[in-house]
Amino acid sequence: MSQGNREDQLAYGDYHDQPSPSNNQTYYEDDQYDGEGGERGLIGDAYRKYRKRASGQGNVPPPNGGPGQPTGLVSNLFSTLHGAVHGLGSELQQRVSGRPSSSSHAHSGSQCDNNMHNSSQNRYGSFAAQRSNNDIKWYVDGCGYMWAVSRALEQARESIWILDWWLSPELYLRRPPAKFEQYRIDRMLQAAAQRGVRVNIIVYKEVTQALTRKYLSPTIPRYLHSLLPRHTDKFSSTLTGLGLATAFASLEYLESENQLMNPFVPVCSSHTKHALEKLHPNIAVFRHPDHLPDAQTLQSSFISSLQNLSLSAKTAASLPLDALQAVYGMNDDVILYWAHHEKLCIVDGRTAFMGGLDLCYGRWDLNQHPIADCHPSNIDNTVFPGQEYNNARVLDFQDVSHWKNNQLDRTRNSRMGWSDISVSLRGPVVEDLRAHFVERWNFIYNEKYDVRKDVRYSRLTFNQNEAGSYQPRPSSGSSRPYSANPQQYHPRSASPSQTTQLYQQYQRSSSPYRQDHQGAPEYLAPPPQSARGVDFDDDESSARGFGSFDHGGRHHHHVEQGIDQMAEAVRGRFNDGVQRIEDNFEHHGRLHGGFQDAGIPCQIVRSCSKWSHGVMTEQSIQNAYIDVIQRSQHFVYIENQFFITATGDSQKPVRNKIGAALVDRILRAARAGEKYKVIIIIPAVPGFAGDLKDDASLGTRAIMEFQYFSINRGGHSIMEMIANAGFDPTQYIRFYNLRNFDRINCSASMRDAEKSSGMDFAAAQQQYNDAVELPTDFPSQGDDGQNRGFTMDRQGFEQYQRGAQGMNARQGLGSGRWDSVSECYMLGGGDIRSIPWENGNVSEIDAFVSEELYVHSKVLIADDRVVICGSANLNDRSQNGDHDSEIAIIVEDPTPIDSYMNGRPWRATKFAATLRRQLFRKHLGLLQAQDMQRPDANFEPIGVPNVYDFGSNEDRLVIDPLSDNFITLWNSRAHQNTAAFGRAFHPVPHDDVRTWNDYDTFYESFFKKSEKGVDGKEERKLPARHQWGHVVAENFSPGQQGVEELKELLSTIKGTLVEMPLLFLIKEDIAKEGVSLNAFTEEVYT
């Protein structure tokens, strides 16, 4: 390998042909990361910061008895506290999850090596077997997905079950809201409940208050002091009291200062519950978990742990371990910081939606991801009303229970775009989703709601068919497929034009459901698979595909004899292996007395444990990830919100071994001389920090540090492991982010509308926001039952609208045509160099904005044949099973399509290949901008297949993910976009920022309010040179020439793909040791 610039080599660690500096001294000479026992201090830091604040000292005393360190009992107390906390994290895990923390417990087969799972007969140790006869479709981004959900909710007749991390009652599923007022979630659920539909919802109950301040001080310190023997001398008694008071004061300070222990969580599950339940008694909402027991339970547990302690001045030093165990979660009823993270919606027990998209604020988006939403010519065109116009890096959701409180100024700030993936499905696999929901509902009911005796709360019943399969209702006559004309319905072979015709026929039909004689919607079996005539070579199917996977616990299929006219090839699954696909033969199976066509095999996998689901720990999602990676033949594509993983047992505290599977598979390919690629897309900033240098951003920096240690730093990262084996990792694995730009229409059209109407745009916009986010029961009644006759003040809004009506079109600036320019980097969009502008409230160069496009997807695609899609992030919280609860689906569509891999013909499968190509084209700007008011087949629930333009020029550009032409296009476009964004907007992270001094020069000197001392007086803030996310005008010529230079630069941006800056702060410890990052809290960040 040729020697390059040393800094470039650091992009993935040390080159394999150069010696590695011992202990990473080159980059971390002053790093104290390993600290005592390889962990960070908690209580020692808490005490030092508390003592510093209390005494007003300017310097924090050294930790180990140096000058200024307290001595005597207090010193011993905190020395013991500091040491005791190191064992706390693993003990917490054991108590909560019922398993030791030393084992990652990852396995790729169906058998568990330590008898942890009760369902070892199923592949990956899942509670669910693989099911055939399913139909599934994908959704890229929130617009189409939420339209589809609205369709299903609108047609619900029996039940709606929703499991979400966050659900926003005021969320509009169709946009713009002014045209689709009835499609707000709360209104749709109310209408369904009024039709007799039972609505059951489970949402995550966020952590709302720290433990010590709420429950323990001053009760426990006083109680402990009372345990001193009566003969204790006054001096010892006073000293012990001082030690106890100091200990708990320090713990209180720790919680008040620690963003993790006193977390800001934007969700408001209480608002979700009460806003929905008051609409109708058929709506029931569970919140879970209760992170803390009641005060009496906790204090009782605390006291009982100390009752056998003979407390004296001498033994007071032994207090901290027991105290910490009682305070921080050593109680079976305490779940500290783990969350329910699934996103699941099941309608009538037949149609399911799942994936990465919660039904909450901030998730709805178009594929071009507009980040400007000012409409001076007509405020009714607003797409993101009120709190929906959000940029968490500038100002996160502040008070979601009060719809009026939206503090982000849309005339000066951009929103943050949201990139995500979800699916909808029907078939037997929905039964496993139903079982999962019922188990969770009844578990929470028994734990929390049974004692409340509220008539709206009751256990759910689930009559599962044999082997968990779903039996459709018998019907007379032929079952109508999903289109209005079954004779013409051939989704597996339909061309885009045929699919469009079928979709139009579907739209003309009243409902995709058939009504039986009792009026209940009937399950419609998937249509005949008439295009499965492409057969696999026997060797290819076993050696190159995924046909050799172990499929334990699946259904028995019996091949019917004497049916010579059957002409299609489908894959049937047997308990002893995989039946080969036969040429010109269609397989029919008998499933527990009912005949069904063989559809798409799917399997549900999940992460759950005792606290979340009342079961032993299951981590079948991690097991599936590892196995699919290990068995992949040519490439793996991953989109995820996080990337924290381990290559072995040396990256404490990270335990999931997905990284090890990637290293192993890449090294096998490298040693065999095979071309193999891994492409991974994650967010540039995997959290919502503003200024990364601020103390409030330490949590985000901690996540970034763990990610870099997983990718290319720290000695055991993926890239370093590959390099140490003698291969260039960049030839096999690369990481990317997404970013986009837009222009806020504060042009002369806004100025003239304000002048004509006599009304400020921002004030009129606020009145509009207030109106569209009104509670569903508004106007309301008072406690006396009398209608208060509340009406919203819309006078200012209406006044502005009248003034804006007569505006000149101004080449699109006054008609709404150019309220967003996000289409300019998409296929067929306007050329940004020719988009008009007239200076008004701001100059054009100051109207351009940029922001990271937040990646929230949780998907893995292997070889264009297998897809794993769900709610699970790629980190320990999601993958290990005993932390956050998650759900995902493995899709192995047998429908073959002709494709290419590394220039050679390749039999891909339709679901995986079309999803991967759609994503690649979006990121590269090879899709047309989406029109929210012109729904196509990809906006509909399952039953209308995805439409994809096979054979188009753009499709051919992404058909082969291993071809040199594609790789050149992908990498050159990412590099080109990165360079343009870097010059225009100076975004961070960035490769030019390798130290905090670089950070100051590149970023803070332009965007942070500066501090200036005047003659020793109190410092005052000076305004920043530029607004966050705006153009660094100094990089361009003055006046109109600079605008033209900027537009010329922006015209080179195509799509949203950018390089991940692997050199960012590589010479710094990104997350320095401190009170917020330690052995206790690291577990939460990973």
Side-chain angles (χ1 to χ4, degrees):
M1 179 185 302
S2 62
Q3 296 291 331
N5 182 280
R6 176 61 182 168
E7 301 291 353
D8 293 335
Q9 297 167 15
L10 296 181
Y12 62 85
D14 300 317
Y15 265 110
H16 54 272
D17 58 357
Q18 294 181 346
S20 300
S22 61
N23 300 322
N24 293 321
Q25 291 177 356
T26 300
Y27 322 128
Y28 302 104
E29 292 176 357
D30 299 322
D31 187 2
Q32 300 298 318
Y33 178 81
D34 289 336
E36 180 181 341
E39 296 171 332
R40 302 175 187 268
L42 171 64
I43 298 302
D45 288 323
Y47 172 71
R48 289 195 297 272
K49 292 190 72 174
Y50 169 72
R51 183 175 180 274
K52 175 183 176 183
R53 183 191 68 165
S55 64
Q57 295 178 0
N59 297 319
V60 177
N64 297 315
Q69 186 75 358
T71 58
L73 176 63
V74 176
S75 177
N76 290 336
L77 177 69
F78 279 95
S79 176
T80 306
L81 279 166
H82 188 270
V85 74
H86 290 306
L88 190 62
S90 60
E91 187 170 349
L92 171 63
Q93 288 182 270
Q94 295 176 44
R95 290 290 298 273
V96 173
S97 65
R99 67 163 181 79
S101 63
S102 58
S103 170
S104 68
H105 191 68
H107 52 82
S108 58
S110 61
Q111 297 296 324
C112 175
D113 57 9
N114 63 2
N115 298 317
M116 182 157 295
H117 301 304
N118 295 325
S119 53
S120 59
Q121 72 275 12
N122 294 329
R123 184 175 62 161
Y124 305 132
S126 173
F127 78 108
Q130 188 184 46
R131 314 289 187 202
S132 294
N133 190 37
N134 302 290
D135 201 7
I136 186 168
K137 70 183 295 185
W138 46 255
Y139 303 90
V140 175
D141 298 316
C143 176
Y145 174 76
M146 292 190 186
W147 187 291
V149 171
S150 75
R151 277 274 201 183
L153 297 181
E154 195 173 38
Q155 297 159 349
R157 295 295 179 267
E158 300 169 359
S159 63
I160 296 171
W161 295 350
I162 299 174
L163 180 57
D164 257 341
W165 178 76
W166 183 18
L167 188 150
S168 302
E170 298 82 15
L171 178 74
Y172 285 85
L173 298 178
R174 301 187 188 184
R175 309 290 170 99
K179 295 185 178 180
F180 296 104
E181 293 182 359
Q182 71 273 32
Y183 289 101
R184 208 171 79 170
I185 288 181
D186 52 0
R187 293 168 186 160
M188 298 202 74
L189 294 180
Q190 182 184 43
Q194 291 170 346
R195 296 194 303 268
V197 177
R198 296 303 301 266
V199 180
N200 297 76
I201 299 171
I202 304 172
V203 292
Y204 161 59
K205 182 179 179 181
E206 68 279 14
V207 181
T208 57
Q209 194 160 5
L211 297 166
T212 306
R213 295 196 306 280
K214 184 174 183 179
Y215 290 104
L216 299 176
S217 293
T219 304
I220 295 301
R222 291 173 181 171
Y223 171 79
L224 292 173
H225 192 264
S226 72
L227 297 180
L228 285 172
R230 292 183 178 180
H231 62 266
T232 304
D233 63 273
K234 187 174 181 180
F235 175 79
S236 297
S237 176
T238 301
L239 189 60
T240 302
L242 177 63
L244 290 169
T246 305
F248 280 86
S250 296
L251 288 174
E252 288 191 49
Y253 178 73
L254 169 70
E255 291 178 339
S256 67
E257 293 295 305
N258 190 316
Q259 61 171 331
L260 180 64
M261 294 183 177
N262 190 24
F264 171 72
V265 181
V267 306
C268 184
S269 60
S270 177
H271 170 64
T272 300
K273 177 181 179 66
H274 297 299
L276 293 177
E277 287 192 338
K278 70 181 180 181
L279 299 179
H280 198 279
N282 276 355
I283 301 176
V285 181
F286 282 1
R287 299 194 300 150
H288 191 263
D290 284 336
H291 297 268
L292 310 173
D294 56 59
Q296 182 179 1
T297 300
L298 184 58
Q299 292 183 13
S300 173
S301 173
F302 188 101
I303 291 171
S304 65
S305 70
L306 300 174
Q307 283 181 344
N308 295 324
L309 177 65
S310 177
L311 190 62
S312 66
K314 180 179 179 181
T315 60
S318 65
L319 164 67
L321 178 60
D322 289 329
L324 282 171
Q325 289 175 337
V327 174
Y328 289 109
M330 294 297 98
N331 184 292
D332 288 336
D333 296 325
V334 177
I335 296 92
L336 210 52
Y337 294 109
W338 314 135
H340 289 304
H341 197 240
E342 297 104 319
K343 300 92 170 62
L344 176 64
C345 177
I346 306 173
V347 178
D348 290 338
R350 297 167 176 82
T351 300
F353 299 87
M354 62 183 296
L357 283 157
D358 291 284
L359 298 175
C360 68
Y361 287 144
R363 274 47 172 179
W364 190 99
D365 213 341
L366 295 154
N367 68 7
Q368 67 270 31
H369 303 285
I371 57 175
D373 194 32
C374 276
H375 304 273
S377 62
N378 184 2
I379 295 178
D380 275 336
N381 290 335
T382 297
V383 180
F384 304 95
Q387 296 192 69
E388 267 279 75
Y389 192 82
N390 174 259
N391 187 332
R393 294 197 65 197
V394 178
L395 182 69
D396 208 346
F397 299 104
Q398 295 294 306
D399 189 4
V400 297
S401 62
H402 295 88
W403 72 96
K404 288 187 177 183
N405 294 353
N406 177 50
Q407 303 174 39
L408 188 66
D409 183 356
R410 68 181 64 218
T411 66
R412 296 169 59 85
N413 298 284
S414 74
R415 60 178 289 272
M416 178 185 286
W418 197 272
S419 184
D420 219 327
I421 302 166
S422 284
V423 299
S424 70
L425 57 149
R426 275 197 193 152
V429 74
V430 175
E431 287 296 287
D432 294 320
L433 294 174
R434 289 184 63 221
H436 177 78
F437 186 92
V438 170
E439 290 169 1
R440 174 72 52 77
W441 181 273
N442 290 343
F443 166 67
I444 298 173
Y445 176 82
N446 293 337
E447 180 183 88
K448 180 176 179 180
Y449 288 92
D450 184 23
V451 297
R452 303 195 180 190
K453 307 304 179 185
D454 189 321
V455 294
R456 80 170 70 228
Y457 306 135
S458 61
R459 291 174 55 87
L460 294 176
T461 58
F462 177 63
N463 298 319
Q464 189 177 21
N465 294 321
E466 185 179 353
S469 65
Y470 177 75
Q471 278 189 295
R473 302 166 183 249
S475 60
S476 59
S478 60
S479 176
R480 178 174 68 88
Y482 302 116
S483 70
N485 191 341
Q487 289 76 20
Q488 299 179 14
Y489 186 65
H490 302 292
R492 306 302 173 188
S493 59
S495 66
S497 61
Q498 291 171 325
T499 304
T500 300
Q501 293 173 0
L502 293 170
Y503 169 68
Q504 292 170 347
Q505 294 172 355
Y506 170 88
Q507 281 193 308
R508 289 193 293 269
S509 66
S510 59
S511 169
Y513 297 90
R514 168 188 276 181
Q515 303 294 316
D516 63 13
H517 63 280
Q518 295 178 337
E522 177 185 359
Y523 171 77
L524 301 176
Q529 313 301 307
S530 59
R532 297 184 176 176
V534 183
D535 48 286
F536 289 99
D537 178 79
D538 288 343
D539 293 336
E540 182 179 355
S541 65
S542 61
R544 303 180 73 185
F546 290 84
S548 60
F549 280 10
D550 176 23
H551 298 289
R554 56 197 160 274
H555 305 309
H556 294 274
H557 291 268
H558 306 285
V559 180
E560 300 295 322
Q561 302 297 323
I563 310 179
D564 298 330
Q565 69 270 25
M566 300 301 177
E568 297 178 333
V570 290
R571 190 164 45 184
R573 307 281 186 176
F574 284 85
N575 282 336
D576 58 350
V578 179
Q579 180 184 2
R580 296 176 180 175
I581 298 177
E582 304 275 343
D583 291 343
N584 300 318
F585 188 85
E586 181 178 9
H587 171 70
H588 272 243
R590 184 185 301 271
L591 183 59
H592 307 294
F595 290 93
Q596 296 181 353
D597 298 327
I600 298 175
C602 299
Q603 183 183 11
I604 301 300
V605 287
R606 67 185 182 182
S607 294
C608 60
S609 64
K610 178 182 176 182
W611 82 260
S612 61
H613 210 77
V615 298
M616 296 301 291
T617 299
E618 179 181 330
Q619 56 174 42
S620 51
I621 298 176
Q622 181 184 165
N623 298 336
Y625 263 73
I626 290 172
D627 192 51
V628 170
I629 290 169
Q630 289 175 337
R631 293 176 182 269
S632 62
Q633 299 295 306
H634 298 288
F635 87 98
V636 167
Y637 175 65
I638 294 173
E639 275 191 31
N640 209 285
Q641 183 182 2
F642 297 101
F643 190 84
I644 299 176
T645 186
T647 60
D649 296 323
S650 301
Q651 288 166 286
K652 186 179 181 181
V654 182
R655 295 184 288 111
N656 80 81
K657 298 301 192 300
I658 295 172
L662 287 168
V663 170
D664 176 72
R665 182 62 191 91
I666 288 170
L667 291 181
R668 280 195 285 124
R671 289 164 180 154
E674 299 171 350
K675 195 171 186 179
Y676 182 88
K677 298 288 183 182
V678 178
I679 295 175
I680 298 174
I681 293 181
I682 59 177
V685 180
F688 300 135
D691 187 342
L692 287 171
K693 201 173 183 180
D694 289 346
D695 289 342
S697 300
L698 187 138
T700 298
R701 296 202 308 271
I703 296 172
M704 294 177 71
E705 181 179 84
F706 282 120
Q707 292 196 155
Y708 280 125
F709 277 25
S710 300
I711 296 169
N712 71 320
R713 304 179 195 177
H716 301 282
S717 66
I718 290 172
M719 288 186 162
E720 288 170 301
M721 297 295 286
I722 297 169
N724 291 339
F727 303 99
D728 179 358
T730 62
Q731 296 300 309
Y732 298 93
I733 183 169
R734 293 217 176 178
F735 293 80
Y736 303 86
N737 305 141
L738 302 178
R739 174 168 284 276
N740 62 333
F741 74 87
D742 211 332
R743 190 183 67 181
I744 300 173
N745 190 1
C746 295
S747 65
S749 60
M750 180 180 291
R751 179 198 61 199
D752 292 351
E754 289 178 329
K755 183 178 179 180
S756 174
S757 65
M759 187 68 188
D760 180 70
F761 172 85
Q765 178 75 54
Q766 185 61 53
Q767 289 191 5
Y768 167 87
N769 294 340
D770 294 346
V772 299
E773 293 194 281
L774 278 173
T776 294
D777 61 344
F778 197 89
S780 63
Q781 292 182 339
D783 295 336
D784 56 3
Q786 297 299 314
N787 194 309
R788 297 302 191 199
F790 293 143
T791 58
M792 290 304 302
D793 179 11
R794 291 171 53 93
Q795 182 178 353
F797 162 72
E798 293 169 352
Q799 178 180 330
Y800 179 91
Q801 290 287 82
R802 288 193 298 270
Q805 286 178 358
M807 280 200 319
N808 188 295
R810 294 182 182 276
Q811 305 178 74
L813 291 171
S815 66
R817 175 67 180 87
W818 296 117
D819 288 346
S820 169
V821 297
S822 56
E823 70 172 58
C824 293
Y825 46 77
M826 301 298 286
L827 180 67
D831 186 336
I832 190 63
R833 293 169 294 188
S834 62
I835 306 302
W837 179 266
E838 294 182 22
N839 284 339
N841 293 347
V842 299
S843 63
E844 184 174 15
I845 200 167
D846 290 330
F848 281 99
V849 287
S850 177
E851 184 54 89
E852 76 163 308
L853 174 51
Y854 198 74
V855 180
H856 193 255
S857 319
K858 297 93 168 53
V859 70
L860 180 150
I861 304 173
D863 291 341
D864 278 355
R865 288 181 170 178
V866 177
V867 175
I868 303 176
C869 181
S871 66
N873 292 317
L874 207 159
N875 57 11
D876 275 5
R877 287 194 61 141
S878 289
Q879 297 288 338
N880 285 352
D882 57 346
H883 292 177
D884 292 353
S885 61
E886 309 282 3
I887 195 131
I889 188 168
I890 308 168
V891 183
E892 297 173 79
D893 180 8
T895 310
I897 61 171
D898 291 326
S899 188
Y900 292 91
M901 193 70 69
N902 196 21
R904 299 177 180 177
W906 175 254
R907 301 284 172 76
T909 63
K910 187 174 184 181
F911 181 85
T914 55
L915 175 57
R916 196 269 305 166
R917 295 183 197 179
Q918 185 84 357
L919 291 168
F920 278 22
R921 288 174 60 181
K922 188 187 85 157
H923 301 330
L924 292 169
L926 299 176
L927 287 178
Q928 291 185 346
Q930 203 170 20
D931 188 337
M932 73 190 86
Q933 298 188 65
R934 299 182 64 184
D936 59 20
N938 293 338
F939 283 56
E940 295 299 330
I942 188 64
V944 177
N946 287 118
V947 60
Y948 183 82
D949 56 342
F950 289 103
S952 66
N953 291 333
E954 293 73 32
D955 176 54
R956 288 195 290 268
L957 288 173
V958 300
I959 191 172
D960 186 346
L962 290 192
S963 72
D964 291 339
N965 288 339
F966 166 77
I967 294 171
T968 298
L969 171 66
W970 182 268
N971 287 328
S972 63
R973 189 153 290 188
H975 181 76
Q976 176 179 284
N977 291 348
T978 303
F981 281 119
R983 182 186 172 200
F985 299 100
H986 281 222
V988 287
H990 194 275
D991 269 339
D992 287 347
V993 178
R994 306 182 188 186
T995 67
W996 285 118
N997 287 334
D998 294 339
Y999 185 89
D1000 293 341
T1001 302
F1002 183 83
Y1003 177 79
E1004 289 207 337
S1005 63
F1006 296 103
F1007 299 108
K1008 186 175 182 180
K1009 293 180 180 179
S1010 59
E1011 297 178 354
K1012 183 179 180 180
V1014 181
D1015 298 330
K1017 297 180 180 180
E1018 185 177 353
E1019 295 181 344
R1020 59 187 177 89
K1021 295 282 187 179
L1022 297 179
R1025 294 157 70 179
H1026 299 288
Q1027 188 81 9
W1028 173 292
H1030 286 247
V1031 173
V1032 178
E1034 290 85 341
N1035 292 342
F1036 304 92
S1037 300
Q1040 187 59 33
Q1041 182 179 347
V1043 173
E1044 293 175 0
E1045 292 171 358
L1046 172 65
K1047 286 188 168 184
E1048 186 68 34
L1049 179 64
L1050 295 180
S1051 71
T1052 67
I1053 295 176
K1054 304 297 180 185
T1056 58
L1057 186 71
V1058 293
E1059 298 168 328
M1060 181 175 178
L1062 297 183
L1063 298 174
F1064 179 65
L1065 293 179
I1066 196 167
K1067 296 181 180 180
E1068 301 281 358
D1069 179 4
I1070 300 178
K1072 294 182 179 179
E1073 179 175 353
V1075 68
S1076 293
L1077 187 62
N1078 44 65
F1080 180 73
T1081 59
E1082 280 178 335
E1083 190 73 24
V1084 180
Y1085 287 121
T1086 59

